[in-house]
Amino acid sequence: MASQSYIELRGITKIFGTVVANDQVDLSVRKGEIHALLGENGSGKSTLVNMLSGIYSPDGGTITIDGKEQRFQSPRDAIRAGIGMVHQHFKLVEVFSAKENIVMNEGKGVFLKGKALSEEIYKIGKKYGLMINPDKKIYRMSVGEKQTVEILKVLYRGAKVLILDEPTAVLTPQETKTLFEILRNMKAEGCSVILITHKLGEVMEVSDRVTVLRKGRSIGTVETAKTDPRQLTEMMVGRPIDLKIDRPPVDPALKKRVLSVEHLSCVDGDGIRVVDDMSFTVDGGEILGVAGIAGSGQKELCEMIAGLQKASGGRVVFQGEDILGLGPRAIIKKGVSMSFIPEDRLGMGLVAGMDVVENVMLKSYDSTPGPFMDWEKGRELATQIVEKYQVDTPSIYHPVKNLSGGNIQKVLLGREIDLNPALLITAYPVRGLDIGASYHIYDVLGQQKQKGVAVLYIGEDLDVLLSLCDRIMVIHHGRIMGIVEPHQVTKEDIGLMMLGHHPGEEEDHV
């Protein structure tokens, strides 16, 4: 691999109001290398690559591509210089075909060229191992196929540098493996790849070098072969972090049946069965993990159990009583102790315009005797949550909409756990949290489990699911493909189930 840099960012500074997002950041990427960019949330990773891709303009510093200093005014300027970015949330038109999305906004016409265009796209794809049907509609594609289209889109525009923002967040292990093969092919063809990810195992597997950012500053660049996850974590956080997730023992007397879901189904407004005949149980002192590709029914399942979504059939038996069909308030009045941490923190869990104290009191305001709310109690609880969960906020009277996503999640989790639930439903509880905060949440869930709480944990990181959970329920298109013991399966086994295979089916193809 050549040692000469192809991309040079020197002294890059970006300021938003009073926030210094990037402070004299340096980044050097070689031609034909996979370069990982690591850092906690708020470390400045996204801001940095947004300047490299022309979305922002730096307030200071220089960007040099192949020896020429560049001043990007727009993403179009960046793509002309050979820089292409694939965002975490795809920018595709679902009803268009792959090739129509690929040529869109290129001034060549969306529906032009026909067969010739398909052949051109196929030729580019073959070069890098990006196999896709150019005429296939986006809405018929898997997540991995959609990502392939996004990569082809920037390559069609002539990109020699590919920036990928959290590219494996919604991929199965099989799709991740395919993506890494594509990245290695691109590297072999002389392309440079900048990979933003929080998954240290993937950094170690696929990258050549790693640059770490912390609080808007570049901490250093290391060769992947000469480092390890522990050192990278310490560079990101500034202190050693124990990356071990404990699965603490639980008193057998606490292991009582808390939740039984029986033949639960849900049909959406289009008549599609998004939850299809699900049956499972969760006991006290147990964490049941739920794994599945995004949109497999996780959200609807949680909302039906919590009384937020209407079911089309089945039963939800909580501590011996069928609560299906009751609203959240009615469930609380029956004495059911259940906490629900939704995927959409601000849309469902908290009120954006309210401060921390007001949001903490949302669940308990109507239980206060008399016409007046106990604001002193609310202030005490808010202060306890801020201290215990290390919420970074100017004060307990700060509007939650002005907090970072990770701090919003801490406020929500603290409020729900304070209710001393018998069942805790958590949907992606560490999404948006940094490594230190994430492992703190895993510890908190372990503590709840030891108290006899039943935990339903919906997650996307399979390594965490395997380490944290006592059992894992894998779902695909609203159906349960199997409930497995973590020590008896691999990530690849779970990935196949997420794609619609039942346990053991893969053995038929060996």
Side-chain angles (χ1 to χ4, degrees):
M1 181 176 63
S3 59
Q4 187 176 2
S5 296
Y6 185 72
I7 300 170
E8 287 280 355
L9 277 64
R10 289 286 173 238
I12 297 295
T13 298
K14 186 64 180 178
I15 302 172
F16 298 98
T18 59
V19 177
V20 182
N22 287 143
D23 186 5
Q24 298 286 320
V25 174
D26 295 336
L27 175 66
S28 176
V29 181
R30 299 165 180 162
K31 190 172 186 178
E33 82 163 337
I34 300 173
H35 196 113
L37 191 59
L38 273 181
E40 295 186 292
N41 294 289
S43 64
K45 304 185 302 296
S46 295
T47 301
L48 187 67
V49 296
N50 279 337
M51 285 185 280
L52 182 56
S53 60
I55 295 173
Y56 298 148
S57 295
D59 297 321
T62 60
I63 297 175
T64 303
I65 310 294
D66 198 17
K68 297 178 182 178
E69 186 173 336
Q70 303 285 342
R71 294 185 181 276
F72 301 144
Q73 301 299 318
S74 70
R76 190 171 291 276
D77 290 342
I79 198 68
R80 288 195 190 106
I83 310 291
M85 183 167 178
V86 176
H87 297 269
Q88 184 175 354
H89 302 290
F90 304 145
K91 301 177 183 298
L92 300 170
V93 179
E94 293 281 321
V95 296
F96 284 1
S97 67
K99 69 182 179 185
E100 289 165 355
N101 274 276
I102 289 168
V103 301
M104 197 181 305
N105 298 325
E106 281 300 285
K108 302 176 184 179
V110 174
F111 302 103
L112 301 181
K113 289 192 175 182
K115 185 178 179 181
L117 176 58
S118 295
E119 291 175 354
E120 185 179 351
I121 292 170
Y122 177 80
K123 185 177 178 181
I124 296 172
K126 186 177 181 181
K127 180 179 180 180
Y128 298 105
L130 291 152
M131 293 296 102
I132 199 75
N133 177 359
D135 298 301
K136 190 173 183 179
K137 301 292 186 182
I138 299 298
Y139 68 85
R140 296 186 179 277
M141 292 184 175
S142 68
V143 175
E145 288 175 311
K146 291 177 182 179
Q147 189 175 69
T148 298
V149 174
E150 285 281 19
I151 296 173
L152 275 169
K153 194 163 69 172
V154 297
L155 292 175
Y156 181 80
R157 288 160 169 73
K160 298 181 179 65
V161 177
L162 181 66
I163 304 170
L164 293 164
D165 186 7
E166 298 287 355
T168 66
V170 291
L171 300 184
T172 66
Q174 288 77 9
E175 289 171 326
T176 297
K177 182 179 179 182
T178 299
L179 173 65
F180 287 174
E181 289 173 357
I182 291 168
L183 299 187
R184 292 187 182 104
N185 290 338
M186 295 182 68
K187 169 185 167 181
E189 292 290 336
C191 290
S192 302
V193 178
I194 299 174
L195 179 68
I196 299 175
T197 180
H198 69 281
K199 299 180 180 179
L200 294 176
E202 295 178 357
V203 170
M204 300 303 299
E205 178 181 348
V206 78
S207 70
D208 298 300
R209 290 192 301 156
V210 186
T211 292
V212 178
L213 303 185
R214 184 168 78 234
K215 295 182 179 179
R217 291 177 173 266
S218 46
I219 301 303
T221 298
V222 295
E223 293 185 28
T224 308
K226 296 181 180 179
T227 188
D228 57 49
R230 191 171 297 276
Q231 180 190 359
L232 292 174
T233 301
E234 189 167 345
M235 290 175 69
M236 283 193 291
V237 180
R239 67 182 190 279
I241 294 286
D242 185 1
L243 298 178
K244 183 175 180 293
I245 298 177
D246 291 324
R247 191 183 283 130
V250 176
D251 183 348
L254 298 175
K255 294 184 178 181
K256 299 176 181 178
R257 183 61 37 86
V258 173
L259 180 73
S260 294
V261 173
E262 303 171 4
H263 304 291
L264 191 63
S265 296
C266 177
V267 177
D268 67 12
D270 297 323
I272 298 172
R273 194 175 288 265
V274 289
V275 173
D276 190 0
D277 196 29
M278 284 193 183
S279 296
F280 62 92
T281 61
V282 192
D283 292 344
E286 174 186 40
I287 300 178
L288 175 66
V290 180
I293 296 170
S296 293
Q298 299 96 319
K299 180 174 181 288
E300 292 81 5
L301 172 63
C302 290
E303 291 178 0
M304 281 189 289
I305 297 172
L308 299 168
Q309 170 87 280
K310 185 178 180 180
S312 58
R315 301 176 72 212
V316 175
V317 180
F318 179 85
Q319 294 182 329
E321 182 176 1
D322 188 356
I323 60 171
L324 188 65
L326 299 179
R329 190 64 58 193
I331 290 175
I332 292 171
K333 287 181 178 178
K334 279 189 170 291
V336 173
S337 178
M338 183 190 306
S339 293
F340 174 52
I341 303 171
E343 179 181 358
D344 180 6
R345 292 182 286 255
L346 282 180
M348 292 175 57
L350 302 171
V351 178
M354 288 184 174
D355 61 31
V356 177
V357 176
E358 292 168 329
N359 271 287
V360 163
M361 296 185 70
L362 278 177
K363 280 283 185 81
S364 57
Y365 71 90
D366 65 341
S367 62
T368 304
F372 302 106
M373 297 179 68
D374 189 346
W375 288 104
E376 183 59 34
K377 182 178 179 181
R379 286 190 288 270
E380 290 177 4
L381 178 56
T383 300
Q384 290 172 12
I385 289 173
V386 167
E387 292 176 353
K388 181 177 181 180
Y389 295 94
Q390 300 174 347
V391 180
D392 187 5
T393 177
S395 79
I396 58 175
Y397 303 107
H398 196 63
V400 297
K401 67 181 179 183
N402 294 334
L403 299 177
S404 70
N407 286 301
I408 291 171
Q409 186 72 312
K410 292 176 184 179
V411 171
L412 178 57
L413 185 65
R415 183 191 72 187
E416 299 301 314
I417 288 179
D418 180 73
L419 295 172
N420 294 316
L423 171 66
L424 181 62
I425 307 174
T426 68
Y428 312 107
V430 301
R431 181 179 284 173
L433 298 188
D434 57 45
I435 289 180
S438 295
Y439 277 81
H440 176 66
I441 296 303
Y442 303 146
D443 288 342
V444 169
L445 294 177
Q447 293 164 10
Q448 292 297 300
K449 166 185 164 179
Q450 282 188 298
K451 289 168 56 178
V453 176
V455 180
L456 185 64
Y457 177 93
I458 291 84
E460 53 197 353
D461 189 322
L462 296 187
D463 288 313
V464 170
L465 283 163
L466 287 166
S467 299
L468 178 70
C469 301
D470 299 287
R471 294 183 298 147
I472 300 174
M473 179 171 72
V474 188
I475 60 178
H476 171 76
H477 286 329
R479 293 189 67 87
I480 297 175
M481 305 311 298
I483 300 177
V484 296
E485 303 279 343
H487 62 277
Q488 295 179 346
V489 294
T490 64
K491 282 198 299 183
E492 289 70 27
D493 294 332
I494 294 176
L496 284 169
M497 295 167 69
M498 290 166 64
L499 292 170
H501 297 272
H502 288 282
E505 280 189 353
E506 65 276 17
E507 297 176 3
D508 298 334
H509 304 290
V510 174

